[in-house]
Amino acid sequence: MTPPTPLVVLATVDPVVRDTTVFGLVTDHPRLVVLRHDILDDEDGGRIRRVIVSGDGVLEDTEVPLEHACLSCAVREDAVPQLERLARDPRWDAVVLALPVGAESLPVSRALAQAGHRTGLRGARGLRLTDVVAALDLDTFADDLLGDDLLAERGLALTHDDRRAVGEALAAQIGHVDTLLVGGDRAAHPVASDLLDHLRAPDSRRVDGRHGVDPRALLRGLHDPARADRRADPLRAAPHPGAPTAHGVWTLDLRSARPLHPERLVARVERLGNVPARSRGRFWVPTRPDSVCVWDGAGGQLSVGQLGTWGRREPDTRLVFTGVGDWAGDLVDAFGDVLTTESEHRAGLAPWLGRQDVLEPWLGDRSPA
């Protein structure tokens, strides 16, 4: 039986970084082929630009109509069958899927794992997903992560209604992937280097010298989608263990058994959400005590939502912030202000019965008890 072909998924937020990384991979491994996707959104539902690249140059450059201009549709409709086709081609012994710039790697790895589940393999048919990789440069990393540029402002939005910040897309990538290919000099960019180490997953691998990576090092393992999912789980949000504290980079672990006060959160949310920091975690509010509320902030944007119920787990609030500078104390004060007070918490949930839920526009309907 022919062994499955190694597959690597590559995520970036910069088209130059993506293209130079692809060039380095195909140059160093002549039997490696890259499937590159770009989503072209339009009124007819969108198209995908499919480019296939090897060490010999561009082998194919095709536009394919999509039923919907979304990443999950692109993977289901085009990526899986094309990856399987490339895996059957005797010219190649490794395949890289280069995602659209700004795309998150988590839903793609899930989709590939689901495709593999239907065929009984850990990946699409004839493929073994070995590594999920993000490529970045230290010289732009801090500005991309903490700045307020939108993907749309850089011409990188995946769809016409994609209003994500560059930092939001970047944070999602570096928090999920197995391996980070890092360009730039640590000594020349110490703040960016420390930021990256604060925010990457504790079990991820950092490879400095993005252009000098040996492609074979990415082809030996086996990506574990469940483990990668746990990296993004807000119930597991925690500071990176042993993260450095030099060069003005800090991480705050703001924790309490008490809920956030809904009205005070709405009134003062900018003090916690509209800040140049990466933040993530979970919280609860007394107007919906059974609901796990999710917090995710980057690039000056904050997203809050609802993620099921606490079940047998005791509700708690834990928000992890990472930033640069001397203003961490402001976040500590703001967090204390939006928590319920000890006396409010001791009063229990009775005072909240029948009270208007001011968070409903952001959190949606309350989960059933």
Side-chain angles (χ1 to χ4, degrees):
M1 182 177 178
T2 303
T5 300
L7 167 66
V8 173
V9 172
L10 171 65
T12 59
V13 297
D14 186 313
V16 174
V17 169
R18 182 182 64 171
D19 291 347
T20 55
T21 302
V22 165
F23 178 79
L25 292 173
V26 297
T27 300
D28 293 339
H29 194 318
R31 289 180 55 80
L32 179 147
V33 66
V34 176
L35 169 63
R36 196 192 79 195
H37 271 165
D38 290 295
I39 295 177
L40 309 174
D41 190 23
D42 56 37
E43 296 179 356
D44 298 325
R47 294 160 292 133
I48 191 164
R49 184 183 178 194
R50 178 207 306 149
V51 179
I52 297 178
V53 182
S54 76
D56 294 325
V58 175
L59 305 179
E60 298 180 24
D61 190 341
T62 309
E63 289 189 8
V64 181
L66 282 175
E67 186 174 326
H68 302 287
C70 67
L71 187 60
S72 61
C73 294
V75 171
R76 183 181 66 251
E77 296 177 22
D78 194 77
V80 170
Q82 294 303 319
L83 291 170
E84 292 174 345
R85 174 174 70 90
L86 293 171
R88 293 191 299 267
D89 192 319
R91 291 177 294 174
W92 320 121
D93 59 20
V95 183
V96 172
L97 173 60
L99 299 179
V101 173
E104 294 186 21
S105 54
L106 187 151
V108 175
S109 62
R110 280 179 178 168
L112 291 171
Q114 290 168 358
H117 179 72
R118 292 193 295 272
T119 63
L121 296 173
R122 291 291 296 276
R125 187 186 303 272
L127 291 149
R128 184 182 81 252
L129 181 56
T130 61
D131 215 318
V132 179
V133 177
L136 58 93
D137 273 340
L138 290 178
D139 58 351
T140 58
F141 178 72
D143 288 340
D144 285 344
L145 181 76
L146 303 179
D148 57 6
D149 282 4
L150 302 180
L151 290 168
E153 292 172 338
R154 297 188 183 182
L156 301 175
L158 295 183
T159 62
H160 67 277
D161 57 353
D162 184 358
R163 300 299 296 168
R164 291 176 300 151
V166 176
E168 181 181 353
L170 180 57
Q173 291 176 0
I174 64 174
H176 170 257
V177 300
D178 305 312
T179 301
L180 294 116
L181 304 182
V182 183
D185 182 2
R186 284 176 182 254
H189 305 285
V191 172
S193 183
D194 281 3
L195 267 175
L196 179 60
D197 284 335
H198 273 252
L199 294 172
R200 65 186 179 90
D203 59 346
S204 66
R205 180 169 60 118
R206 172 173 171 168
V207 179
D208 286 282
R210 176 168 53 83
H211 302 295
V213 65
D214 180 359
R216 293 162 187 80
L218 307 176
L219 307 174
R220 300 183 184 123
L222 181 65
H223 173 74
D224 185 340
R227 184 177 183 179
D229 277 4
R230 289 194 291 270
R231 297 170 185 156
D233 185 352
L235 292 176
R236 298 173 183 267
H240 193 293
T245 57
H247 310 116
V249 178
W250 44 260
T251 289
L252 294 176
D253 188 10
L254 305 177
R255 308 178 66 174
S256 178
R258 287 178 277 154
L260 300 185
H261 190 289
E263 283 88 358
R264 292 203 293 270
L265 176 60
V266 171
R268 304 170 189 177
V269 68
E270 288 196 357
R271 293 177 60 193
L272 288 167
N274 188 20
V275 293
R278 167 60 172 152
S279 59
R280 61 185 295 260
R282 75 270 180 178
F283 64 98
W284 68 289
V285 289
T287 48
R288 51 176 77 207
D290 298 311
S291 298
V292 178
C293 302
V294 179
W295 180 289
D296 193 275
Q301 293 190 349
L302 173 64
S303 173
V304 295
Q306 183 171 274
L307 183 68
T309 61
W310 293 99
R312 296 183 178 180
R313 176 177 176 143
E314 284 295 319
D316 73 332
T317 297
R318 187 175 193 180
L319 305 180
V320 180
F321 284 79
T322 296
V324 181
D326 59 359
W327 55 280
D330 297 338
L331 289 175
V332 176
D333 293 342
F335 181 70
D337 288 345
V338 299
L339 276 174
T340 54
T341 64
E342 291 285 0
S343 61
E344 288 169 337
H345 188 44
R346 284 196 301 269
L349 300 176
W352 298 92
L353 293 175
R355 195 157 167 172
Q356 180 185 6
D357 186 359
V358 297
L359 292 175
E360 189 168 352
W362 294 273
L363 299 180
D365 296 335
R366 306 183 202 202
S367 295

